[in-house]
Amino acid sequence: MTNNGGGCNITVLLNNGVMQKQTPPEIRIGECRVKRDKETRNKLLASGKQEFLEKGYMQASLRSICKNTGVTTGALYFFFQDKEDLFAAIVEEPLSQLHQIMCSHYASEMENHGNGQVEGEDFSDDMETAARIIHYLYSNYDEVQLLLIKAQGSRFEHCIDEFVDMTEKHYRVLADKMSEASSRPRIDDYFIHWISHVTVNTFVHLITHEESEEKALKHMKLTVKYLVDGWRGMFSS
């Protein structure tokens, strides 16, 4: 019997004189354990998602999640620190992706319109980004529902406010540049805060009231035109 140079397989000489690579029993056992652990974790995530959707974060029971998965509560703590860690494993990645989409759009908007120009601007990127966000929201429908209406009591319960803050900071800078370029009065902070809420709540309302992505996109097209034309109107003479 010879080793293959530090890999997982070993080469053995069979009775018929043929050399054959085989995986040592202890490695096969380890591979089975890894596969089993992955399956258990995925089952816990699926059971957790269902429990959170039905009861919300605060009322969700780890005992029920484990029972529906067919494991003990102790087994859950092998994969997740606590209930919030399990919740985060379900919603954190979609939330991060939404942040990236919006940050990328705002950066592009500043690059394209940061000179404060009002007339003749092409805002087609707004509709493209809105369509991208709508598609992402509906592609991760359950996770988004958890974030928006089931996250109370977790560290994610203020995620909408975080998007509003991000939007407000962007609008503040952009509005100041456009006010200066158009020689129009500076838009006050209250209005910037309000329109930031309007923008974010447009998406929140659609994903929480409209089950059809196609219908949501149809509504969004008219809404984007309304928001963009209204924004431009503030700086027109």
Side-chain angles (χ1 to χ4, degrees), residues 121-138:
E121 289 187 274
D122 179 12
F123 281 93
S124 61
D125 58 325
D126 290 273
M127 189 59 237
E128 292 176 4
T129 299
R132 184 183 176 193
I133 292 174
I134 287 292
H135 180 67
Y136 191 82
L137 291 175
Y138 281 87

Side-chain angles (χ1 to χ4, degrees), residues 49-205:
K49 181 194 292 188
Q50 189 60 37
E51 179 80 1
F52 291 131
L53 284 170
E54 291 178 1
K55 301 178 182 178
Y57 175 81
M58 292 185 69
Q59 299 301 319
S61 166
L62 289 182
R63 182 174 297 178
S64 295
I65 293 171
C66 292
K67 180 180 179 181
N68 293 332
T69 307
V71 300
T72 65
T73 306
L76 181 142
Y77 289 117
F78 176 78
F79 300 98
F80 308 102
Q81 295 179 4
D82 49 29
K83 182 165 69 171
E84 188 169 72
D85 192 36
L86 172 60
F87 191 79
I90 298 170
V91 303
E92 204 157 32
E93 178 60 24
L95 181 62
S96 176
Q97 288 297 318
L98 284 173
H99 271 281
Q100 290 184 28
I101 292 173
M102 292 185 68
C103 285
S104 176
H105 171 65
Y106 290 154
S108 175
E109 194 167 55
M110 286 303 301
E111 181 179 347
N112 295 330
H113 310 306
N115 61 0
Q117 182 183 354
V118 178
E119 300 298 334
E121 289 187 274
D122 179 12
F123 281 93
S124 61
D125 58 325
D126 290 273
M127 189 59 237
E128 292 176 4
T129 299
R132 184 183 176 193
I133 292 174
I134 287 292
H135 180 67
Y136 191 82
L137 291 175
Y138 281 87
S139 297
N140 297 272
Y141 188 86
D142 287 345
E143 290 80 3
V144 172
Q145 295 296 318
L146 290 176
L147 283 167
L148 297 181
I149 60 179
K150 301 290 185 177
Q152 185 177 5
S154 76
R155 70 175 188 267
F156 300 95
E157 65 178 327
H158 299 299
C159 67
I160 296 176
D161 293 332
E162 293 173 4
F163 281 110
V164 171
D165 289 343
M166 180 197 313
T167 302
E168 184 175 354
K169 291 175 181 177
H170 170 67
Y171 281 175
R172 178 71 277 164
V173 175
L174 189 61
D176 286 345
K177 289 181 177 293
M178 296 181 77
S179 292
E180 182 179 358
S182 61
S183 300
R184 301 290 292 176
R186 184 177 188 268
I187 307 299
D188 64 64
D189 290 339
Y190 177 83
F191 189 83
I192 293 295
H193 178 72
W194 176 78
I195 200 169
S196 299
H197 266 287
V198 170
T199 301
V200 173
N201 285 337
T202 296
F203 292 96
V204 173
H205 181 84

Side-chain angles (χ1 to χ4, degrees), residues 17-28:
V18 176
M19 304 295 288
Q20 185 180 74
K21 289 184 177 181
Q22 293 184 358
T23 303
E26 63 271 18
I27 293 180
R28 289 200 299 270

